[in-house]
Amino acid sequence: MAEHDHHGMNEPPGLARFCSPDHEGEHEAARPGRFGRMFGGTLPPNYTRPDLLTLIGQKGGPMDGGPGSDRTDTVPVGQVFFGQFVDHDITLDVVSSLSRNQRAADTPNARTPTLDLDCIYGDGPEAQPYLYDADGVKLLTGADVPGAGVTQQNDLLRSVNGRAMIGDPRNDENRVVSQLQLGMIRFHNAMADKLAKKPNGPSADELFEVTRREVTWHYQWCVVFDFLSAMCGRPVVEDILANGRTLYCHVSEPYIPVEFAVAAYRFGHSMVPMQLQVQLRGSSYELFGNALGQGFSQVGQKEAIVDWHELFDTDADRIVQRAEKLDTKMASDLLALPFVTSGERSLATRNLLRGNVFRLPAGEAVAELVAAATEVDAQVDTVMDRVRSLSEDAVAGTSIPPIDTGAPLWLYLLAEAEIIGRAEPGGGHNPGEGLGPVGARIVAETLIGLLELDEHSFLGANRNWMPTPDYASIGAILASTNWPGLPT
């Protein structure tokens, strides 16, 4: 026995690792322009053999959802792509690699860690005038190109090589998020027209900034009261707003925790369907196929123009497609990404390997800490049983040992969503409909924290602000920008 292993003198787990020169403690979390750690030096890093991670995430492996579909009952499929859009608004890691370890505090975030729509506005009309009209107020789209046909009119502005001219090129990586980017641009332009006509409205010099604030605050409202309620559960959102944050705290500047960016917020990858119907009475198309395109490409046919009434619950009262259940399964297409031409093509494997190099703590360790801090029922043993079964399926017939302890955080949170699920008003949880108690707290506290720590957001500047009633949900905002020529 070591001399200090008695009378309460046991060394805290992970102390040797985090007191090394490579230490990443809580005080480093808020370094400007860098990622950070939500749990500081509290938990040790987990390690899972990369060959096991590859087997778990491979096409045809235990995470492959196959050709079938298992949809949620309550989550419109559009919310999944809106979640992708939100991610592109607050994070961009252009330096990390799956082949070397990463320190969160040394990893630059090329996006501002605030929900400020810089993916729409770029650096503004003065720094990037080619995104804007001559007055520097409205954003340009394909409709501003002389002689544009129907498909070009309903597409992003593109350069001669077909690349989208937008604030973040990732918002062209699939047709739905590309159309969502277009919808938000159209919403800005419509808001500018509305404010310009308003009696005693902003002056010409003020119009852009006032419009930007209105659009951004409406978007932020939707993130909190629409998206987070759908994915994390309304009780979780209401508890954080009423009683404060318990995990994303002790900081004065907004930052992106790697536990959020590398694990918890990647939950949406489980909810993406293999096929989508994007127009009323239209056919269902592969997300990456001839009709909707392979990503980073122009709209090729009218049938690819998205009708937002089909992807979100709106006042049109359509029968809206639901997202796939949030569980440990993923669409087969995502386990062999068509636009990845070198390296690992499985999105699941990439997520798992990324957790290793960022030295994320184990899922069950995070769950126990969160449960103690928030008094949630983490049901760690039950969730770990599901993780073990996945790894046992993956290594059947091999000499590789399955996971017994030390579950990858991302995989653990998917299993938690599958087994426990989203908190519901009135008590109880709904398996597969949203994040479980641990994942929900990490995601909701991070996004709400980003807003509360930003003096320019509606939560940071004016907590009494309310949206225009017609634009109180992201589905309503996007549907207001629909192409009039869509089938009705």
Side-chain angles (χ1 to χ4, degrees):
M1 180 189 300
E3 61 179 0
H4 58 276
D5 287 350
H6 55 80
H7 299 301
M9 296 293 290
N10 289 330
E11 183 177 275
L15 183 62
R17 155 69 182 86
F18 284 105
C19 285
S20 73
D22 200 29
H23 166 75
E24 285 190 292
E26 285 185 288
H27 68 281
E28 293 193 44
R31 284 183 61 190
R34 297 290 189 273
F35 288 87
R37 291 190 182 274
M38 177 172 281
F39 303 113
T42 307
L43 300 174
N46 180 48
Y47 173 79
T48 308
R49 285 176 49 162
D51 52 354
L52 173 55
L53 298 180
T54 300
L55 289 172
I56 291 173
Q58 69 182 347
K59 188 176 177 66
M63 293 191 72
D64 193 333
S69 181
D70 188 13
R71 303 291 178 114
T72 67
D73 295 323
T74 60
V75 181
V77 70
Q79 291 284 9
V80 178
F81 295 95
F82 182 58
Q84 180 184 24
F85 179 86
V86 172
D87 174 57
H88 293 175
D89 187 27
I90 57 177
T91 68
L92 176 56
D93 171 13
V94 295
V95 301
S96 69
S97 166
L98 299 180
S99 61
R100 65 175 182 273
N101 288 347
Q102 308 293 330
R103 293 186 77 247
D106 290 339
T107 305
N109 181 9
R111 281 278 164 264
T112 54
T114 52
L115 293 152
D116 60 359
L117 288 177
D118 60 346
C119 58
I120 294 292
Y121 296 110
D123 292 325
E126 292 187 1
Q128 293 182 292
Y130 48 86
L131 299 179
Y132 296 83
D133 65 7
D135 294 331
V137 173
K138 291 186 177 181
L139 289 146
L140 299 174
T141 72
D144 294 295
V145 176
V150 168
T151 56
Q152 191 173 14
Q153 290 171 15
N154 289 278
D155 197 0
L156 299 167
L157 181 68
R158 295 184 181 275
S159 63
V160 292
N161 65 359
R163 290 294 183 181
M165 298 177 66
I166 53 179
D168 190 324
R170 296 174 297 170
N171 281 353
D172 192 33
E173 68 185 23
N174 66 64
R175 179 62 58 224
V176 181
V177 77
S178 173
Q179 290 276 285
L180 203 159
Q181 172 90 8
L182 176 65
M184 291 303 296
I185 290 172
R186 285 173 166 173
F187 181 55
H188 167 92
N189 293 345
M191 183 67 74
D193 285 338
K194 181 178 179 179
L195 291 172
K197 297 173 184 176
K198 187 176 180 180
N200 302 316
S203 67
D205 291 339
E206 299 170 330
L207 183 56
F208 171 74
E209 290 299 338
V210 174
T211 302
R212 178 173 183 166
R213 186 191 65 190
E214 283 297 302
V215 170
T216 302
W217 283 12
H218 277 82
Y219 156 71
Q220 293 169 351
W221 177 276
C222 294
V223 170
V224 176
F225 296 106
D226 190 11
F227 175 72
L228 287 181
S229 292
M231 298 303 191
C232 300
R234 202 177 81 202
V236 175
V237 174
E238 290 175 348
D239 179 64
I240 294 169
L241 291 172
N243 300 312
R245 292 171 272 117
T246 58
L247 307 177
Y248 188 92
C249 50
H250 308 303
V251 292
S252 58
E253 298 289 335
Y255 78 101
I256 304 296
V258 288
E259 297 92 339
F260 168 89
V262 178
Y265 200 68
R266 294 175 183 248
F267 71 88
H269 296 165
S270 163
M271 304 182 82
V272 179
M274 293 187 68
Q275 292 194 327
L276 288 165
Q277 179 181 326
V278 297
Q279 292 184 8
L280 181 64
R281 297 183 298 275
S283 299
S284 291
Y285 297 118
E286 293 282 340
L287 179 59
F288 298 106
N290 292 332
L292 298 183
Q294 297 293 317
F296 303 104
S297 60
Q298 62 190 17
V299 176
Q301 55 193 68
K302 289 189 292 185
E303 290 73 18
I305 299 169
V306 172
D307 180 348
W308 296 111
H309 292 300
E310 290 293 298
L311 302 189
F312 288 95
D313 293 326
T314 69
D315 60 6
D317 199 27
R318 303 264 183 92
I319 298 175
V320 176
Q321 297 171 85
R322 300 301 173 186
E324 293 287 333
K325 282 191 178 294
L326 177 44
D327 54 22
T328 53
K329 300 293 185 180
M330 290 176 61
S332 295
D333 286 0
L334 300 182
L335 304 182
L337 292 169
F339 52 79
V340 176
T341 56
S342 63
E344 179 57 58
R345 296 182 64 202
S346 166
L347 183 56
T349 301
R350 293 173 72 90
N351 289 343
L352 293 165
L353 294 173
R354 195 171 299 279
N356 253 5
V357 298
F358 270 98
R359 291 169 287 191
L360 295 184
E364 63 267 42
V366 170
E368 289 169 355
L369 187 151
V370 172
T374 62
E375 300 181 355
V376 302
D377 181 5
Q379 301 184 37
V380 175
D381 291 342
T382 304
V383 177
M384 279 302 299
D385 286 344
R386 178 61 183 138
V387 174
R388 290 188 192 99
S389 71
L390 282 167
S391 64
E392 288 167 355
D393 290 345
V395 301
T398 75
S399 60
I400 301 172
I403 294 171
D404 187 41
T405 61
L409 180 56
W410 176 67
L411 186 62
Y412 182 93
L413 296 178
L414 293 185
E416 180 194 56
E418 179 178 323
I419 299 300
I420 305 174
R422 186 185 65 204
E424 297 296 326
H429 288 79
N430 200 342
E433 294 292 310
L435 286 161
V438 176
R441 293 298 303 207
I442 294 173
V443 169
E445 286 205 17
T446 298
L447 292 177
I448 291 172
L450 294 179
L451 292 171
E452 291 183 331
L453 293 171
D454 175 16
E455 63 181 8
H456 301 294
S457 77
F458 85 95
L459 282 179
N462 179 7
R463 293 171 77 90
N464 287 327
W465 180 85
M466 292 284 291
T468 303
D470 290 344
Y471 303 136
S473 71
I474 188 60
I477 286 174
L478 293 171
S480 73
T481 72
N482 264 354
W483 173 46
L486 287 167
T488 59

